[in-house]
Each structure stands twice: as structure tokens, then as C-alpha cells.
Amino acid sequence: MGKKKGKRGRHMEQKTQVKNAGNSSVSGQNETSDERIEEYGQVLLDEGKGRGDIYLLSIIGEIEGHENLNSGSKTTKYEHVLPKLAQIEDSREIEGVLLLINTQGGDVSCGLALAEMVASLSKPTVSLVIGDSHSIGVPLAVSADDSFIVPSASMLIHPVRMTGMTIGAPQTYHYFQRIQDRITGFIADHSDTPQDKIEELMMNTADMTKDLGTLLVGEDAVRMGLIHQVGGIDRALRRLREMIRRRRKA
């Protein structure tokens, strides 16, 4: 017959079991985090403390609208991001949002809907343009409380484009104008660039070779008042954590 385990032996066994369970839990959390990154380009940032107080949300590729794009395109699906932003607003754990932007633009109404959601969050938000923030990506970049752009990143402002059949009538032009007013009005309300200046950039004929519009690179976007500062992930995260600390004290 085997000997009975003493108190010390039982204690060590229980401790090992707890440790293994903890490792299993951490492993499960890491797997969930990896799946979230792979599927949605989203992850929680926690400074290694085990609590995700900052939510990293990436806007990449083309912003997909009410119709699915082809399977070969990199897209940001607005039907995924909208409920996630609502969940972030409702969460007690998440205290801030870092918006990572590298997009060629996409569906106007859906991109504008995402920008309005970000702008209406009560929690601190910071955007970082790391590649491109073209077309409807511009309202998304300016929707955050503070904004950064890396030196090599670009922002493209151009008139609204429409595919498919259009009717050559004054009503069509009026409709296009109203859509553009929604976009330029939002950008003006959430940046330091007046609406008439945005419209001037949008209708510029000297900058683009085959189209109207203006391409702004890095410091140009800051000088125009669209983005607050030139900087990378280090400065963007530092600024967001500073905003979170101030909100905690308030």
C-alpha cells in the first residue's frame, strides 16, 4: 500500500494544479487574441498587466459597404466594427481606443457611419495614419480626439466618385453635392481645416494627373490642420495613456 501524502505534499500538488490552470487560462487568452487579430485586426493592449484597457482597432484595405467585395480584397467590414465600437462604449474595462489606419477608402455612407461612431465615443480616442488614409479614410482619421501621422503616410482628398448608371440631370449633381457637403462638413467639424479649404483641396486640378484632388504626405496633413501631430506608435500610445490617466483623475 502506498503512503498517504503529507500536508506539504498535498499543498504542492494543489499549487501545481493551480499554476497549470493559470497557464492554460493565459494560453486560452493568447489564442483568443490571435484569432481576433487574424479575423478582425483588433487586439487589447494592456502594458503586460493582464487587463486590456486600450482597444486597438485597425482600418485596413477597403471599407466594405452594403455589398461584399471580391474575396481577393483586403477589407474592413463595417458590420463588424459598428457593434464592436458599441461594445467598447459599454465596457467597464476598456478605457481608450487606438485607431490604426491604412486604407484606400471605400463605401462613403459606411465609412462616414464608422467615423461618426468613433467621434461619439465618450472614451479617449487616438488615430494613427501609418500608410494611407485616402478618400473616406480622411473623416475616420480626424474623428478621434487626437491624431498622428507617420512622415511617409499620405491622405488623399478628392470628389465623390460613383460607379454604375447615373442620370444626366441637375438632381444628380445636387445629390453628389449633398454627399460631399456631408463629408467636408464632418472633416471641418473634427479638424482645424475650414470647410471651404477642404473643398478647395478636393477640387484641385494641379496636383493629380488623372483626377481632381490633393495628396497630402505626413507633415503636409499637419500643416493643413487635418492631423494634429507627426509621430508613430510610441507617441500615439503615450498620448492615449496620458488622456486615460487624466480621465481617471477627473
Side-chain angles (χ1 to χ4, degrees):
M1 294 185 63
K3 294 182 180 179
K4 292 184 178 180
K5 294 180 181 178
K7 290 184 179 180
R8 179 178 176 82
R10 290 197 299 272
H11 177 70
M12 292 299 294
E13 183 177 311
Q14 291 170 356
K15 192 173 181 179
T16 301
Q17 291 173 349
V18 170
K19 185 176 180 181
N20 289 338
N23 289 339
S24 174
S25 175
V26 170
S27 175
Q29 289 175 359
N30 290 338
E31 288 177 7
T32 301
S33 178
D34 290 343
E35 289 174 3
R36 191 185 296 117
I37 294 173
E38 185 176 345
E39 287 294 321
Y40 307 113
Q42 303 168 5
V43 68
L44 288 170
L45 305 178
D46 57 11
E47 289 186 308
K49 296 176 181 177
R51 80 175 244 230
D53 56 345
I54 289 179
Y55 200 91
L56 173 64
L57 184 65
S58 61
I59 306 295
I60 55 94
E62 188 169 352
I63 298 168
E64 193 174 75
H66 302 297
E67 296 180 4
N68 292 333
L69 298 173
N70 67 71
S71 58
S73 299
K74 292 286 186 182
T75 63
T76 295
K77 298 180 181 293
Y78 88 106
E79 70 270 24
H80 291 166
V81 181
L82 283 178
K84 175 51 65 178
L85 289 170
Q87 186 183 45
I88 289 170
E89 177 64 23
D90 190 54
S91 171
R92 293 183 179 180
E93 287 75 31
I94 298 172
E95 298 183 90
V97 178
L98 178 61
L99 205 62
L100 214 56
I101 301 175
N102 186 8
T103 178
Q104 65 190 54
D107 189 282
V108 171
S109 65
C110 297
L112 204 52
L114 293 178
E116 289 282 12
M117 281 287 282
V118 173
S120 64
L121 289 174
S122 65
K123 299 177 181 183
T125 55
V126 169
S127 66
L128 172 60
V129 180
I130 56 168
D132 298 317
S133 187
H134 291 182
S135 190
I136 201 61
V138 176
L140 277 163
V142 305
S143 64
D145 299 324
D146 207 344
S147 54
F148 292 81
I149 185 170
V150 297
S152 63
S154 66
M155 302 183 76
L156 175 61
I157 301 175
H158 65 76
V160 173
R161 302 187 184 110
M162 185 172 288
T163 58
M165 186 181 71
T166 58
I167 300 172
Q171 291 87 343
T172 303
Y173 173 79
H174 181 62
Y175 176 67
F176 271 63
Q177 188 61 51
R178 292 185 69 181
I179 294 175
Q180 287 184 176
D181 288 344
R182 290 165 59 199
I183 296 169
T184 57
F186 182 92
I187 296 172
D189 288 343
H190 295 86
S191 72
D192 297 325
T193 309
Q195 188 167 355
D196 58 349
K197 182 61 179 178
I198 298 167
E199 291 171 353
E200 180 185 328
L201 296 172
M202 185 178 280
M203 298 301 175
N204 181 22
T205 59
D207 193 44
M208 310 295 290
T209 56
K210 295 182 180 180
D211 199 357
L212 301 177
T214 302
L215 185 71
L216 302 171
V217 179
E219 184 64 45
D220 295 335
V222 176
R223 189 165 53 251
M224 288 292 179
L226 289 173
I227 299 296
H228 295 143
Q229 301 177 59
V230 173
I233 185 68
D234 55 340
R235 295 187 63 187
L237 263 177
R238 195 182 312 128
R239 173 60 177 148
L240 184 53
R241 294 202 181 280
E242 177 189 335
M243 293 163 68
I244 289 172
R245 285 193 295 270
R246 288 182 179 179
R247 189 171 187 264
R248 285 173 184 168
K249 292 179 180 178

